[in-house]
Amino acid sequence: ARLGFKSSSVRARLLAFYDIGSTERVDAGVPQGEFGSSVGIGLRMATGRSFNLRLDLASVLSPAGNQARHDQMLNASMAIAF
């Protein structure tokens, strides 16, 4: 799902996502793998061709690894081209 706006210099979008993944392990004595999932919201912003910003906030639905149910994760990235 997306919601956004666009002006002459700034473009922005809000989005919702559902993420799933699995792992496989081949080491002896270690569980064979795990399955995890999360749901969240994100923001994408750009100005011209030189600046991009991405923000995602997710909440764990199905825990895997060191994550517990309802743990929250924030991921951010910024790119500036010159």
Side-chain angles (χ1 to χ4, degrees):
R2 291 185 191 180
L3 175 65
F5 73 91
K6 182 178 180 180
S7 74
S8 62
S9 63
V10 177
R11 294 179 314 276
R13 298 185 292 203
L14 289 175
L15 55 98
F17 62 88
Y18 176 73
D19 186 33
I20 59 173
S22 66
T23 63
E24 295 294 327
R25 296 188 178 140
V26 294
D27 297 337
V30 176
Q32 287 297 309
E34 295 180 292
F35 170 83
S37 65
S38 63
V39 64
I41 57 173
L43 171 68
R44 305 290 184 266
M45 288 184 64
T47 59
R49 294 183 179 180
S50 61
F51 178 79
N52 288 294
L53 176 68
R54 297 173 53 136
L55 296 170
D56 293 325
L57 177 63
S59 181
V60 175
L61 296 177
S62 176
N66 296 329
Q67 300 293 328
R69 185 170 171 82
H70 302 297
D71 276 358
Q72 293 185 340
M73 299 168 286
L74 177 66
N75 184 20
S77 68
M78 180 176 65
I80 300 173
F82 53 93

